Amino acid sequence: MGKIELYGTRMASPLGLLSIWGSSHAVESIGWNSDQASAPQAATQSCPVIDECAKQLRAYFDGRLTTFDIPTAPAGTAFQRSVWQLLMDIPFGQTLSYGQLAQTLQPPSGPRAIGSAVGRNPILLVLPCHRIIGSRGDLTGFAGGLERKEWLLTHEGSILC
């Protein structure tokens, strides 16, 4: 079996430089450029899937897009992928607590296990882990930092300044 080519690009966002990586079939990673886990060591040549992802991210940041429509292939355990799939069901402008997300999983899981899976989300923004908050409505954990999480939730109308 042949080696799968890895493609990537970097794009400016209101929150800093983003790195987008994946194959010609799906996005595998999105993270801020300072997050070395999101930036595999490979040539930064793009492809149509990566270009479309960057286009949709620009539209999201411009306020013209509320739902992403790009193929994703996050690497993780079956449990992590099931949690990440549930993130896709959280509508733009809404939030869930870790406990609420845990209850939607079949079979239900504990909030700590959910938090661990959410924290390992390799495709930030498209798999909207920023929409998960603490049980009292507080902003907790986000790989991009709480300032970015607050900006994203304000941008989506989930919280007011």
Side-chain angles (χ1 to χ4, degrees):
M1 186 169 244
K3 182 180 174 188
I4 295 177
E5 189 81 29
L6 184 64
Y7 299 95
T9 192
R10 290 181 172 84
M11 65 166 275
S13 82
L15 301 173
L17 196 60
L18 283 170
S19 294
I20 307 166
W21 297 96
S23 71
S24 61
H25 304 288
V27 173
E28 298 174 13
S29 172
I30 300 173
W32 275 276
N33 207 42
S34 59
D35 178 10
Q36 292 306 310
S38 71
Q41 299 303 313
T44 56
Q45 68 179 41
S46 196
C47 70
V49 169
I50 301 300
D51 292 342
E52 179 62 24
C53 180
K55 177 183 169 185
Q56 289 187 29
L57 284 167
R58 281 190 290 278
Y60 167 80
F61 284 118
D62 289 347
R64 297 179 286 115
L65 183 96
T66 60
T67 304
F68 292 98
D69 182 24
I70 55 171
T72 60
T77 66
F79 176 75
Q80 288 169 336
R81 287 191 311 272
S82 67
V83 171
W84 299 333
Q85 185 59 46
L86 290 174
L87 295 175
M88 300 286 289
D89 296 334
I90 305 170
F92 182 92
Q94 295 184 23
T95 59
L96 285 179
S97 72
Y98 291 95
Q100 289 170 315
L101 188 63
Q103 292 170 356
T104 65
L105 193 63
Q106 293 303 318
S109 183
R112 286 182 192 249
I114 295 294
S116 178
V118 168
R120 288 182 172 78
N121 172 16
I123 307 178
L124 298 179
L125 305 172
V126 173
L127 303 180
C129 58
H130 61 278
R131 296 179 186 154
I132 304 300
I133 59 173
S135 61
R136 293 183 213 126
D138 49 328
L139 300 185
T140 60
F142 181 60
L146 292 181
E147 296 85 13
R148 285 180 174 140
K149 183 172 188 163
E150 182 177 15
W151 189 97
L152 292 165
L153 293 176
T154 301
H155 173 69
E156 293 185 4
S158 300
I159 59 175
L160 302 174
C161 297

